[in-house]
Each structure stands twice: as structure tokens, then as C-alpha cells.
Amino acid sequence: LFRQTTYLLMLTLVVGSGVYLMTELFDRMDNFMESEIPFKYILVYFVVKLPLILGQILPAAFLLSVIMQLCLMAGSRELLALQAGGVSLWRVTAFFILYAVFWGAIQLGMSQNLGIAGNNYAKEIWNQHVSYSSYKHDFVRNFWLMENNLMVYAREVNIPNRAGSDIVCYQLSQDGLIVE
């Protein structure tokens, strides 16, 4: 029971984390390509995020693997054979409860220790190598800023050069509803 449930759990975790990683990869691929960072940083980014991903999908993967295990046992009449052999369903239930506590502790460690440290390192990679370098060609068009009673408009802002063109500043009334 332990071996087959663990096999199903690992299979579900691999498929679930693969789907999660592929979604994340396709979501961030444009940013990685624009930043032109080496492949090793991309690989490290996803490897250090893996514990957090596993910590997030482990409860669902565990539930799916236990349901699959019970369905397989019911389909092949193993549950009926266990009952006929004098094994109580409470023993099977106790196994799954202890198994859940074991994987719950692993999930807690993954999400709270390794997951947080890995996610922080992934954010550091993202901030230093990807998001900073993606601004080297960025222009913002039709930029509006409102602070206190001032409203500022710029037709175009060049972020790296900290320059803008066609800048207009409006003074608003005290209630902020009328342009003075």
C-alpha cells in the first residue's frame, strides 16, 4: 500500500510540477529573452522555485493519489479481500492518516523553509538579471501622474535616460475636481 501510493504520489507530483513549470516558463519566456541572460540563470531560477511549487501542489497531488489508490483497490476488489481477511477498514484509514501527516510535515518544510528561501533567491535573480535589464529599451507613452493637487502628463518617458517629452503640469482645486 505504501509503495503503490508513493508511486502514484510521485507520478502526480511530477506531472503537476511539470505543468506548473511549463506555465511559468511560457509566462516569463519573453522577459528572459529580452533580458538576454545566460541559460544557467534561467535554470537556477526554476530549480530554486521548485520547493515552493512542490509545497503548493503537494496537497492536491496527495488527494489525487489517495483517490486513485482507493479506486484501484476497489476496482480490483482488494478492499473486499482485506475485509474478508479480517483487516478492518480502520487500519487502512489509519495508514492514510499517518501517511497524510508524514507528507503534511514534508509539505510544511517545503513551503516554509526551502520554499521561502528558494522563492527569495528566485526573486533576487529576477530583480537583478531580468527586470532591471528589461528596462534598457523601455519607453512609456501617455504617462499620467497625480500627486496631491498636481497632475502631470508626459507624451513619452524614456526610463533609462530619466527624460520625457511634451510634459504638462496641471494644478487642481483643493477638492481635486477642477483644473485651475
XYZ file of all heavy atoms in Angstrom, residues 74-109:
276
model
N -10.456 -0.640 -4.991
C -11.868 -1.019 -5.092
C -12.132 -1.728 -6.412
O -12.911 -2.692 -6.463
C -12.758 0.209 -4.954
N -11.498 -1.282 -7.486
C -11.699 -1.897 -8.796
C -11.187 -3.320 -8.864
O -11.761 -4.172 -9.554
N -10.104 -3.599 -8.188
C -9.559 -4.957 -8.199
C -10.003 -5.764 -6.979
O -9.447 -6.817 -6.700
C -8.032 -4.901 -8.272
O -7.526 -4.259 -7.117
N -10.967 -5.263 -6.280
C -11.596 -5.936 -5.135
C -10.627 -6.184 -3.974
O -10.819 -7.077 -3.174
C -12.235 -7.261 -5.555
C -13.168 -7.196 -6.728
C -14.562 -6.827 -6.272
N -15.536 -7.054 -7.363
C -16.113 -6.064 -8.005
N -15.822 -4.829 -7.702
N -16.997 -6.311 -8.947
N -9.573 -5.382 -3.896
C -8.621 -5.538 -2.801
C -9.230 -5.121 -1.467
O -8.927 -5.734 -0.438
C -7.360 -4.717 -3.066
C -6.489 -5.276 -4.157
C -5.250 -4.451 -4.388
O -4.588 -4.077 -3.400
O -4.950 -4.162 -5.553
N -10.058 -4.076 -1.473
C -10.713 -3.664 -0.227
C -11.619 -4.777 0.292
O -11.665 -5.045 1.502
C -11.497 -2.366 -0.432
C -10.675 -1.112 -0.690
C -11.579 0.082 -0.996
C -9.794 -0.803 0.498
N -12.323 -5.425 -0.608
C -13.188 -6.540 -0.223
C -12.358 -7.711 0.300
O -12.722 -8.353 1.292
C -14.033 -6.970 -1.429
C -15.111 -8.016 -1.172
C -16.130 -7.488 -0.161
C -15.797 -8.366 -2.479
N -11.217 -7.969 -0.341
C -10.339 -9.050 0.114
C -9.753 -8.736 1.492
O -9.622 -9.634 2.334
C -9.222 -9.274 -0.897
N -9.424 -7.468 1.729
C -8.915 -7.084 3.053
C -9.971 -7.308 4.126
O -9.673 -7.825 5.209
C -8.458 -5.626 3.053
C -7.135 -5.323 2.358
C -6.913 -3.817 2.259
C -5.982 -5.966 3.094
N -11.200 -6.922 3.831
C -12.283 -7.125 4.795
C -12.535 -8.614 5.022
O -12.750 -9.045 6.152
C -13.578 -6.467 4.313
C -13.620 -4.983 4.557
C -14.957 -4.383 4.124
O -15.492 -4.758 3.087
N -15.446 -3.461 4.928
N -12.493 -9.404 3.948
C -12.711 -10.846 4.092
C -11.575 -11.496 4.871
O -11.789 -12.504 5.562
C -12.840 -11.499 2.720
N -10.392 -10.954 4.781
C -9.247 -11.484 5.510
C -9.188 -11.019 6.950
O -8.253 -11.354 7.669
N -10.154 -10.209 7.362
C -10.205 -9.770 8.744
C -9.506 -8.445 9.010
O -9.371 -8.037 10.156
N -9.047 -7.767 7.975
C -8.406 -6.465 8.148
C -9.500 -5.401 8.141
O -10.282 -5.299 7.201
C -7.377 -6.195 7.026
C -6.780 -4.807 7.179
C -6.299 -7.250 7.032
N -9.533 -4.621 9.186
C -10.553 -3.585 9.314
C -10.237 -2.413 8.378
O -9.076 -2.102 8.106
C -10.598 -3.091 10.755
O -11.392 -1.934 10.870
N -11.295 -1.777 7.900
C -11.099 -0.575 7.089
C -10.494 0.555 7.913
O -9.915 1.485 7.356
C -12.418 -0.139 6.453
C -12.933 -1.015 5.316
C -14.259 -0.470 4.783
C -11.928 -1.085 4.189
N -10.610 0.482 9.219
C -9.990 1.490 10.084
C -8.466 1.404 10.013
O -7.788 2.413 10.139
C -10.463 1.345 11.527
C -11.893 1.776 11.677
C -12.975 0.972 11.897
C -12.404 3.105 11.571
N -14.123 1.717 11.941
C -13.804 3.036 11.744
C -11.824 4.346 11.334
C -14.614 4.158 11.696
C -12.637 5.456 11.298
C -14.013 5.357 11.469
N -7.926 0.208 9.799
C -6.467 0.076 9.658
C -6.003 0.731 8.358
O -4.965 1.382 8.313
C -6.054 -1.387 9.683
C -6.179 -1.972 11.090
C -5.593 -3.323 11.187
N -4.146 -3.264 10.936
C -3.389 -4.335 10.904
N -3.916 -5.529 11.099
N -2.110 -4.236 10.680
N -6.783 0.553 7.308
C -6.455 1.199 6.032
C -6.581 2.709 6.189
O -5.715 3.470 5.721
C -7.373 0.675 4.899
C -7.108 1.420 3.601
C -7.188 -0.823 4.717
N -7.638 3.141 6.871
C -7.827 4.572 7.123
C -6.699 5.127 7.984
O -6.196 6.227 7.725
C -9.194 4.817 7.792
O -10.218 4.243 6.989
C -9.445 6.293 7.989
N -6.277 4.378 9.000
C -5.173 4.824 9.860
C -3.884 4.969 9.052
O -3.101 5.907 9.273
C -4.979 3.846 11.010
N -3.655 4.040 8.112
C -2.473 4.168 7.253
C -2.504 5.483 6.482
O -1.504 6.202 6.440
C -2.384 2.990 6.269
C -1.417 3.249 5.153
C -0.057 3.172 5.363
C -1.864 3.627 3.890
C 0.842 3.435 4.340
C -0.979 3.895 2.867
C 0.379 3.794 3.090
N -3.652 5.785 5.870
C -3.731 7.001 5.064
C -3.627 8.256 5.928
O -3.072 9.266 5.489
C -5.014 7.020 4.222
C -4.940 6.138 3.020
C -5.802 5.059 2.873
C -3.998 6.353 2.031
C -5.733 4.240 1.770
C -3.917 5.537 0.920
C -4.783 4.468 0.793
N -4.128 8.196 7.156
C -3.993 9.354 8.058
C -2.531 9.563 8.443
O -2.018 10.693 8.390
C -4.889 9.183 9.298
C -6.356 9.315 8.885
C -4.540 10.205 10.378
C -7.343 8.997 9.977
N -1.831 8.484 8.809
C -0.402 8.607 9.139
C 0.407 9.031 7.914
O 1.345 9.825 8.020
C 0.125 7.288 9.694
C -0.361 6.921 11.089
C 0.115 5.531 11.461
C 0.122 7.943 12.104
N 0.044 8.511 6.768
C 0.698 8.891 5.517
C 0.480 10.377 5.238
O 1.398 11.080 4.803
C 0.134 8.011 4.399
C 0.932 7.985 3.129
C 2.192 7.404 3.084
C 0.403 8.503 1.954
C 2.912 7.360 1.906
C 1.127 8.463 0.777
C 2.374 7.893 0.763
O 3.096 7.849 -0.396
N -0.723 10.866 5.505
C -1.039 12.284 5.303
C -0.251 13.162 6.275
O 0.233 14.235 5.894
C -2.530 12.521 5.470
N -0.110 12.725 7.518
C 0.669 13.501 8.491
C 2.134 13.568 8.058
O 2.768 14.628 8.135
C 0.517 12.898 9.902
C 1.518 13.488 10.875
C -0.905 13.086 10.408
N 2.662 12.450 7.589
C 4.040 12.423 7.109
C 4.246 13.408 5.961
O 5.165 14.234 5.983
C 4.401 10.993 6.672
C 5.714 10.885 5.965
C 6.902 10.986 6.676
C 5.774 10.679 4.592
C 8.121 10.885 6.023
C 6.984 10.574 3.937
C 8.165 10.674 4.650
N 3.385 13.359 4.945
C 3.526 14.246 3.801
C 3.154 15.684 4.160
O 3.650 16.631 3.543
C 2.719 13.748 2.607
C 3.421 12.608 1.943
C 3.089 11.300 1.999
C 4.615 12.686 1.168
N 3.991 10.547 1.297
C 4.944 11.375 0.770
C 5.435 13.719 0.772
C 6.056 11.082 -0.009
C 6.545 13.432 -0.009
C 6.848 12.131 -0.391
N 2.293 15.857 5.153
C 1.986 17.207 5.628
C 3.205 17.875 6.246
O 3.450 19.064 6.054
N 3.993 17.091 7.001
C 5.229 17.627 7.580
C 6.231 17.977 6.488
O 6.905 19.015 6.550
C 5.822 16.619 8.555
N 6.319 17.128 5.478
C 7.217 17.427 4.355
C 6.742 18.676 3.627
O 7.553 19.537 3.265
C 7.322 16.213 3.409
C 8.112 15.113 4.105
C 7.951 16.596 2.084
C 8.225 13.840 3.324
N 5.446 18.792 3.419
C 4.890 19.966 2.741
C 5.159 21.228 3.543
O 5.496 22.271 2.990
C 3.388 19.776 2.509
C 2.760 20.804 1.619
C 2.075 21.922 2.362
O 1.808 21.823 3.553
N 1.798 22.990 1.674
N 5.036 21.155 4.854
C 5.319 22.312 5.713
C 6.784 22.727 5.588
O 7.093 23.913 5.447
C 4.968 21.986 7.166
C 5.175 23.102 8.172
C 4.197 24.238 7.899
C 4.998 22.585 9.583
N 7.672 21.748 5.605
C 9.088 22.062 5.449
C 9.407 22.637 4.081
O 10.211 23.565 3.956
